């Protein structure tokens, strides 16, 4: 199964590294490899969240995610998105933006000798608005998860009180708006305050619209019965409840759209952070897109087909806490520079802690039931 799931990603990785070598020699190859590793390390929580959504989609929409979704992730977010930011904020046409990207000033200067800003400088100047949009979208995702009433909790000492508060209608929206107002008032530079506020509101509205449409069509169109997903090594099945139906038709389309917007929000910090390594959009697209995005998708599929989310019951909780941390980091980065290493380590810490908690919970159940050590408990806590 590993070869079948990761085989295409491995082939694409080799081709991307060869292309980087042909384009920029050994330097290009090294930069491409570094960016690929960076993207995968930053995006494991993305893969976990993607898997929770993907398991609710029909086989057709899962395939769309792996085909059309890859094209959007590679060419849309990692190549066209930075160019679009430059030509919009810099007042350039697409051809001029691409020329500017592929012809940086000497010695990595921020400006050309004639005083015009470089591609990297223009993109960095747009970072507050990008961070506000992505931060608000991810913050809404985290708040809607953590404020929901769930039988299964991980950090129960905080999740249960928050779920009780979540009974207040639209509390997630209220908290997100308060966070945005604080960021715009106290963190955003004076000349970007209005645009940060607008970008954040757009991020919040995008989440509400896409999530709302997805929920609407899922309720109107119940879908089809999903195939069972057994947990490897378990005779009892997964610990995490599986969806009763999977989304097809319009419901599947809006889940796919929701997944792409979510994936884009996760990409913002990686795309911006990549410019600390190289300003070349071709190398960024090869490293982040062809290597990183492909492997993230392969990890997502592997998690779904292995039933990992069922086997490790708290993994979804850990991923959402990592998303909450990423949302806060993005909003803080409107004014404060936070190294990508910190972002990656925070996400890994939450995922690792949730994984360890799941393993301990499974062992406790095995010991209590007198089950073999290879089995995985199935009851919720």
């Amino acid at each position: 199964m590993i070869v079948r799931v990761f085989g295409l990603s491995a082939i694409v990785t080799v081709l991307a590294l060869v292309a980087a070598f042909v384009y920029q020699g050994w330097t290009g190859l090294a930069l491409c490899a570094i960016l690929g590793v960076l993207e995968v390390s930053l995006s494991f929580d993305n893969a976990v969240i993607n898997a929770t959504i993907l398991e609710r989609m029909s086989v057709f929409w899962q395939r769309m995610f792996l085909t059309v979704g890859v094209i959007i992730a590679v060419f849309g977010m990692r190549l066209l998105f930075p160019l679009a930011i430059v030509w919009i904020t810099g007042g350039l046409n697409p051809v001029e933006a691409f020329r500017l990207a592929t012809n940086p000033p000497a010695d990595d200067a921020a400006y050309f000798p004639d005083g015009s800003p470089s591609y990297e400088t223009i993109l960095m100047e747009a970072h507050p608005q990008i961070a506000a949009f992505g931060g608000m979208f991810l913050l809404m995702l985290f708040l809607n998860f953590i404020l929901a009433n769930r039988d299964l909790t991980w950090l129960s000492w905080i999740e249960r009180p928050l779920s009780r508060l979540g009974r207040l209608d639209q509390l997630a929206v209220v908290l997100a708006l308060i966070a945005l107002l604080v960021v715009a008032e106290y963190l955003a530079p004076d000349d970007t305050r209005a645009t940060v506020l607008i970008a954040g509101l757009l991020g919040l509205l995008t989440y509400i619209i896409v999530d709302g449409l997805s929920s609407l069509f899922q309720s109107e169109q119940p879908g089809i019965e999903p195939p069972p997903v057994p947990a490897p090594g378990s005779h009892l099945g997964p610990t995490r409840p599986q969806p009763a139906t999977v989304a097809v038709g319009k419901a599947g389309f809006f889940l796919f759209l929701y997944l792409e917007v979510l994936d884009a929000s996760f990409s913002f910090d990686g795309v911006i952070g990549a410019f600390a390594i190289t300003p070349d959009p071709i190398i960024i697209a090869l490293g982040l897109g062809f290597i990183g995005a492909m492997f993230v998708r392969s990890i997502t599929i592997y998690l779904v087909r292995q039933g990992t989310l069922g086997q490790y019951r708290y993994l979804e909780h850990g991923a959402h806490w990592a998303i909450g941390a990423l949302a806060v980091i993005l909003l803080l980065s409107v004014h404060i520079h936070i190294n990508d290493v910190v972002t990656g380590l925070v996400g890994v810490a939450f995922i690792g802690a949730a994984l360890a908690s799941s393993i301990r919970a499974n062992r406790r159940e095995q010991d209590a039931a007198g089950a073999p050590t290879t089995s995985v408990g199935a009851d919720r806590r």
Side-chain angles (χ1 to χ4, degrees), residues 66-117:
L66 292 174
T67 52
V68 177
V70 167
I71 295 173
I72 294 173
V74 173
F75 294 101
M77 283 307 302
R78 274 74 177 185
L79 182 60
L80 296 181
F81 170 71
L83 289 172
I85 294 297
V86 170
W87 81 58
I88 292 171
T89 61
L92 307 173
N93 62 48
V95 176
E96 290 174 335
F98 187 77
R99 180 189 58 77
L100 190 65
T102 53
N103 294 278
D107 301 322
D108 294 328
Y111 293 88
F112 288 95
D114 62 2
S116 59

Side-chain angles (χ1 to χ4, degrees), residues 2-66:
I2 291 178
V3 174
R4 186 167 66 251
V5 173
F6 290 94
L8 179 59
S9 295
I11 293 172
V12 170
T13 296
V14 172
L15 294 176
L17 292 174
V18 170
F21 178 78
V22 172
Y23 178 63
Q24 269 192 6
W26 290 108
T27 300
L29 187 148
L31 291 173
C32 183
I34 291 171
L35 288 172
V37 173
L38 174 68
E39 178 73 357
V40 174
S41 63
L42 288 174
S43 300
F44 190 77
D45 50 353
N46 186 8
V48 175
I49 297 301
N50 286 350
T52 65
I53 299 170
L54 204 64
E55 67 181 9
R56 293 154 51 193
M57 299 167 69
S58 66
V59 174
F60 170 79
W61 286 109
Q62 289 182 4
R63 289 173 179 166
M64 289 291 288
F65 173 72
L66 292 174

Side-chain angles (χ1 to χ4, degrees), residues 257-300:
L257 183 61
Y258 176 81
L259 199 56
E260 289 304 315
V261 177
L262 175 62
D263 190 61
S265 298
F266 273 105
S267 304
F268 291 151
D269 63 325
V271 171
I272 298 298
F275 281 87
I277 298 173
T278 175
D280 193 306
I282 304 301
I283 296 295
I284 290 175
L286 289 172
L288 296 187
F290 284 94
I291 297 178
M294 283 294 295
F295 265 102
V296 170
R297 272 157 173 70
S298 293
I299 293 170
T300 300

Side-chain angles (χ1 to χ4, degrees), residues 22 38 64 144 168 180 185 202 248 254 263 271 274 321 375:
V22 172
L38 174 68
M64 289 291 288
N144 271 337
L168 294 173
L180 178 60
E185 179 65 25
L202 288 175
V248 296
F254 281 107
D263 190 61
V271 171
W321 277 104
S375 67

Side-chain angles (χ1 to χ4, degrees), residues 17-349:
L17 292 174
V18 170
F21 178 78
V22 172
Y23 178 63
Q24 269 192 6
W26 290 108
T27 300
L29 187 148
L31 291 173
C32 183
I34 291 171
L35 288 172
V37 173
L38 174 68
E39 178 73 357
V40 174
S41 63
L42 288 174
S43 300
F44 190 77
D45 50 353
N46 186 8
V48 175
I49 297 301
N50 286 350
T52 65
I53 299 170
L54 204 64
E55 67 181 9
R56 293 154 51 193
M57 299 167 69
S58 66
V59 174
F60 170 79
W61 286 109
Q62 289 182 4
R63 289 173 179 166
M64 289 291 288
F65 173 72
L66 292 174
T67 52
V68 177
V70 167
I71 295 173
I72 294 173
V74 173
F75 294 101
M77 283 307 302
R78 274 74 177 185
L79 182 60
L80 296 181
F81 170 71
L83 289 172
I85 294 297
V86 170
W87 81 58
I88 292 171
T89 61
L92 307 173
N93 62 48
V95 176
E96 290 174 335
F98 187 77
R99 180 189 58 77
L100 190 65
T102 53
N103 294 278
D107 301 322
D108 294 328
Y111 293 88
F112 288 95
D114 62 2
S116 59
S118 68
Y119 176 86
E120 180 182 2
T121 300
I122 295 174
L123 191 61
M124 290 302 181
E125 289 175 350
H127 174 72
Q129 296 92 320
I130 298 170
F133 180 94
M136 288 299 292
F137 187 93
L138 294 179
L139 183 61
M140 281 296 298
L141 175 63
F142 167 71
L143 290 174
N144 271 337
F145 178 86
I146 211 67
L147 294 174
N149 185 23
R150 299 179 184 277
D151 295 330
L152 179 66
T153 57
W154 175 40
L155 304 177
S156 301
W157 59 275
I158 188 171
E159 290 182 8
R160 286 176 180 168
L162 287 174
S163 68
R164 287 194 289 270
L165 287 176
R167 296 171 186 170
L168 294 173
D169 192 31
Q170 302 301 322
L171 179 61
V173 176
V174 172
L175 293 177
L177 286 173
I178 291 173
L180 178 60
L181 289 173
V182 170
V183 169
E185 179 65 25
Y186 297 105
L187 292 181
D190 293 338
D191 58 340
T192 64
R193 184 169 296 161
T195 53
V196 163
L197 193 58
I198 292 172
L201 288 173
L202 288 175
L204 186 147
L205 287 174
T206 300
Y207 177 87
I208 292 174
I209 292 171
V210 177
D211 182 64
L213 288 173
S214 175
S215 300
L216 172 66
F217 284 106
Q218 283 186 78
S219 63
E220 291 183 350
Q221 182 175 340
I224 59 175
E225 293 294 326
V229 184
S234 172
H235 64 286
L236 294 173
T239 60
R240 183 174 175 274
Q242 300 299 308
T245 60
V246 292
V248 296
K250 291 180 180 179
F253 169 74
F254 281 107
L255 268 183
F256 171 78
L257 183 61
Y258 176 81
L259 199 56
E260 289 304 315
V261 177
L262 175 62
D263 190 61
S265 298
F266 273 105
S267 304
F268 291 151
D269 63 325
V271 171
I272 298 298
F275 281 87
I277 298 173
T278 175
D280 193 306
I282 304 301
I283 296 295
I284 290 175
L286 289 172
L288 296 187
F290 284 94
I291 297 178
M294 283 294 295
F295 265 102
V296 170
R297 272 157 173 70
S298 293
I299 293 170
T300 300
I301 291 298
Y302 183 80
L303 293 175
V304 172
R305 294 182 180 175
Q306 285 290 98
T308 305
L309 297 179
Q311 185 178 3
Y312 302 107
R313 65 189 75 184
Y314 301 127
L315 204 55
E316 183 180 6
H317 292 73
H320 277 90
W321 277 104
I323 287 172
L326 177 58
V328 171
I329 288 171
L330 278 172
L331 292 174
L332 290 177
S333 70
V334 167
H335 180 67
I336 304 168
H337 173 71
I338 300 174
N339 195 288
D340 284 339
V341 174
V342 175
T343 305
L345 289 177
V346 169
V348 169

